[in-house]
Amino acid sequence: MTGDRPGGEAPSREGRRELVAETAFVLGILVKGLDGLVELVAGTALLVLRQGQVLALTRAAVAEELREDPHDVVAHLLLHEAAALSHGTALAAGLFLLLHGVVKVAIVGALLAGSRRVYPWAVGALAVFLVVQLVQLVVSPGLGVALLTALDAAILWLTWHEWRRGRSFRDAWRSVLDGWFPGRVTPRPG
């Protein structure tokens, strides 16, 4: 980004557009990492807890929300799903979440470590996840799945875009920081 501002000039329109894309990429990857951690925890819980324990945890998790709004649709949906959870469904969902979580955390970890070689793997994994979500969208359409699919498609494109530029996640991170907070980022050594 600093190349777009010689002598402290404001960034060009293209420079601002690139900064927004880089920012979306960095935030998207960080959100994917957090999502992967949540999936690891949820998948593990589904594999090790019994149905009654899952229901009790769900009740505890939504209790405050139901006190504030006794008609909260999401809280009631979560309670309904936890009550209807069978052993087979819990096993399948737990394994699915664990696999998803492990892949996401591994890819995000490699990107954070600065590896450029992980980009093809990240693009491939995100593409597979996107296809799964598209199938889910066709089988059981819903606004939530549609929004997640659109978000994942955007993250997939942004990841592909950064890969094609040949930059590491660290490079994108530095560029974002320098773009939003010029002069505040320490210069790269060497």
Side-chain angles (χ1 to χ4, degrees):
M1 255 352 268
T2 55
D4 292 331
R5 292 187 313 247
E9 298 171 17
S12 67
R13 180 182 303 229
E14 181 61 34
R16 285 190 304 270
R17 196 173 329 171
E18 194 59 40
L19 177 60
V20 169
E22 288 173 336
T23 302
F25 168 71
V26 167
L27 292 176
I29 294 300
L30 294 175
V31 166
K32 279 291 172 198
L34 290 174
D35 178 46
L37 290 173
V38 168
E39 288 178 346
L40 284 174
V41 170
T44 302
L46 286 173
L47 292 175
V48 301
L49 299 176
R50 288 174 280 141
Q51 194 271 342
Q53 293 170 311
V54 171
L55 183 56
L57 282 172
T58 305
R59 281 187 180 132
V62 300
E64 182 63 31
E65 186 60 36
L66 288 174
R67 274 192 289 281
E68 291 176 17
D69 178 9
H71 303 291
D72 185 283
V73 175
V74 174
H76 282 288
L77 179 63
L78 288 171
L79 284 173
H80 174 75
E81 292 299 319
L85 192 64
S86 70
H87 176 70
T89 304
L91 180 63
L95 291 173
F96 178 80
L97 287 171
L98 272 178
L99 176 64
H100 246 223
V102 165
V103 169
K104 286 178 186 176
V105 168
I107 287 173
V108 170
L111 286 171
L112 290 173
S115 175
R116 287 186 208 142
R117 291 181 291 187
V118 79
Y119 276 110
W121 292 100
V123 167
L126 288 169
V128 168
F129 292 157
L130 188 62
V131 168
V132 169
Q133 284 176 233
L134 287 169
V135 169
Q136 184 180 2
L137 187 60
V138 169
V139 171
S140 59
L143 181 60
V145 175
L147 290 173
L148 285 174
T149 302
L151 179 64
D152 280 351
I155 292 172
L156 172 61
W157 183 85
L158 290 165
T159 304
W160 178 82
H161 178 69
E162 284 298 315
W163 173 36
R164 300 308 304 158
R165 291 183 69 198
R167 294 172 1 123
S168 71
F169 181 85
R170 288 179 182 177
D171 294 335
W173 177 265
R174 283 187 167 287
S175 182
V176 166
L177 289 177
D178 189 48
W180 292 109
F181 309 103
R184 304 249 193 277
V185 180
T186 39
R188 277 186 92 154

